[in-house]
Amino acid sequence: MLKAGIVGLPNVGKSTLFNALTKTRKAEAANYPFCTIDPNVGVVQVPDSRLQPIATLVGTSTVIPAAIEMVDIAGLVEGASRGEGLGNKFLANVREVDAIVHVVRCFEDDDVIHNMGRVDPIADAEVIMTELILADVESASGQLQKNDKKARGKDKEATANVALLDRLIPHLNEGKPANLLEMDEDERARIKSFCLLSSKPMLYACNLKEEETADPKSNPNLAAFQEWASKQQDANCCVISAKMEEELSDLSEEESKEYLEAMGVDDSGVTSLIRGTYDLLGLASYLTAGEKEARAWTFKKGMTAPQCAGVIHTDFEKKFIKAEVVSYHDLIEAGSMQVARENGKLRLEGKEYIFMDGDVALFKCNA
């Protein structure tokens, strides 16, 4: 399962958000720096409005959504790349995740300590990005030395690595993240092998007060931060109130709906955050439906039909013959698999078929 790491400066709401997303109290949320030391890990269900209609259509009461893994990582401080605070532990934990959910504090509250002494989400984000870049400079320099030795021995892969690293290191030294370097398709594939922190896709979670969620523009820090974030490649923004999310996680579905109505919002923001993280990881869902369950299965965008069959069981990939596939919308419009088949919407796809988000599938495999 792919992992997304929740990062941020101390006291920005990371652990509160983690608890809300995972509906647990694994992470201590306290008003002092470094209340999280070892990373907390939890599984988060991915909201999918397509599952219940599919379940109703096939007559099952069991619905199983897709899931992703979230990691709550200790707060970072300026100087982490030199070992300040929990720097070395923080950077090692970030290296192990596939994408980053960066919580930035946009709310003002005199009762909640701010590590930098003032609320400035752009400055906070730049502190963390700078530390990631500084760690990447050290890592890239070490990799350049290793590859340079191999390149002198006429190693083609090493020679290509050296050419990319020679361009990358000056770029990093200018304070620019790795993902902003101009690269061709081959270089983008190559840079992944360097495991750089600043090349990981990032989603900014802008943490507001509960009362600001109905009118996010009322927050004086948000607009400027969103404009800044729009200039960062592979980075999106999501507006959320971690405190509200934590309170909602303790309520029933009906109570949650009443609470949100009282706050003047349709959705708390957690749905868009989870979906945004799912997209950030390059993931999508296909659906299966039968008498026992309606279920969403996670696959990496671009996977073929046999690979998607292998998500259910590795033997299904090896013994794959065909896949019966219909899009969610075509199935709902038809009202049943049989009608979808009669209307020509249910297709037989082979080994080369690339699965799409929302495909409803039944795999045919050798015994």
Side-chain angles (χ1 to χ4, degrees):
M1 188 180 292
L2 295 180
K3 298 179 184 178
I6 301 177
V7 308
L9 294 176
N11 294 344
V12 296
K14 294 182 294 78
S15 297
T16 301
L17 181 59
F18 174 84
N19 289 337
L21 291 172
T22 58
K23 300 187 186 300
T24 66
R25 288 291 184 270
K26 281 186 177 182
E28 183 181 359
N31 187 20
Y32 57 85
F34 308 122
C35 66
T36 299
I37 297 177
D38 294 319
N40 299 290
V41 181
V43 174
V44 177
Q45 292 186 342
V46 180
D48 196 329
S49 60
R50 300 169 298 195
L51 280 172
Q52 192 54 57
I54 287 283
T56 302
L57 187 146
V58 298
T60 181
S61 58
T62 304
V63 170
I64 303 176
I68 53 175
E69 198 166 79
M70 288 282 195
V71 184
D72 177 34
I73 299 173
L76 174 146
V77 296
E78 192 170 7
S81 58
R82 302 189 305 273
E84 294 290 332
L86 298 170
N88 293 330
K89 180 182 280 288
F90 172 93
L91 295 169
N93 291 333
V94 174
R95 214 173 288 281
E96 292 175 1
V97 300
D98 303 286
I100 297 171
V101 176
H102 184 171
V103 182
V104 291
R105 175 177 167 179
C106 294
F107 67 89
E108 302 275 356
D109 190 337
D110 292 338
D111 293 330
V112 180
I113 299 167
H114 191 291
N115 184 68
M116 303 293 285
R118 77 285 177 270
V119 176
D120 185 343
I122 295 176
D124 292 355
E126 287 177 337
V127 165
I128 287 195
M129 185 54 72
T130 296
E131 296 305 324
L132 299 183
I133 291 169
L134 289 172
D136 282 347
V137 169
E138 184 177 351
S139 174
S141 298
Q143 293 184 65
L144 177 60
Q145 288 183 343
K146 292 177 184 177
N147 279 280
D148 193 44
K149 290 180 181 178
K150 293 180 180 179
R152 291 174 188 172
K154 308 300 182 183
D155 185 302
K156 291 184 179 179
E157 280 297 304
T159 300
N161 286 341
V162 167
L164 179 54
L165 287 163
D166 276 339
R167 290 201 305 115
L168 174 65
I169 292 173
H171 172 87
L172 293 171
N173 279 325
E174 290 177 6
K176 299 175 183 176
N179 61 14
L180 288 183
L181 180 69
E182 288 190 13
M183 292 176 279
D184 59 30
E185 193 173 329
D186 175 70
E187 289 174 324
R188 287 209 169 274
R190 185 174 299 280
I191 202 170
K192 291 180 181 178
S193 68
F194 299 159
C195 299
L196 300 173
L197 302 179
S198 67
S199 68
K200 294 181 185 289
M202 186 175 293
L203 174 68
Y204 288 104
C206 303
N207 193 9
L208 309 184
K209 285 184 177 180
E210 293 170 271
E211 57 268 28
E212 293 174 333
T213 55
D215 181 19
K217 292 180 181 178
S218 65
N219 183 290
N221 299 304
L222 182 60
F225 181 79
Q226 289 176 320
E227 184 180 352
W228 175 86
S230 69
K231 299 172 184 175
Q232 312 304 307
Q233 188 168 323
D234 293 333
N236 293 312
C237 277
C238 176
V239 174
I240 200 162
S241 170
K243 184 64 176 174
M244 177 188 284
E245 299 301 339
E246 189 170 46
E247 291 177 4
L248 285 169
S249 67
D250 292 328
L251 303 179
S252 67
E253 187 174 340
E254 187 175 334
E255 289 171 330
S256 295
K257 187 176 180 181
E258 291 175 357
Y259 182 96
L260 291 172
E261 286 177 355
M263 297 302 297
V265 294
D266 296 324
D267 179 58
S268 64
V270 71
T271 299
S272 58
L273 176 62
I274 296 173
R275 290 296 316 181
T277 304
Y278 201 60
D279 292 339
L280 195 69
L281 290 165
L283 303 177
S285 298
Y286 72 83
L287 313 172
T288 57
E291 293 180 0
K292 290 185 178 180
E293 65 183 31
R295 181 165 183 164
W297 300 88
T298 299
F299 69 96
K300 193 82 172 172
K301 292 175 184 176
M303 284 175 66
T304 62
Q307 290 171 324
C308 284
V311 171
I312 298 176
H313 196 288
T314 52
D315 283 350
F316 286 8
E317 181 174 359
K318 297 173 187 174
K319 300 176 180 180
F320 176 88
I321 301 174
K322 294 283 183 181
E324 282 191 330
V325 181
V326 59
S327 76
Y328 166 79
H329 294 293
D330 285 343
L331 177 57
I332 294 300
E333 185 177 334
S336 72
M337 285 287 193
Q338 181 59 37
V339 175
R341 183 179 288 109
E342 291 170 358
N343 292 344
K345 299 295 185 181
L346 189 66
R347 316 178 307 273
L348 272 179
E349 300 287 1
K351 294 182 178 180
E352 303 303 315
Y353 177 68
I354 304 297
F355 257 61
M356 304 296 291
D357 183 63
D359 277 347
V360 184
L362 175 64
F363 296 104
K364 296 183 179 294
C365 303
N366 283 317

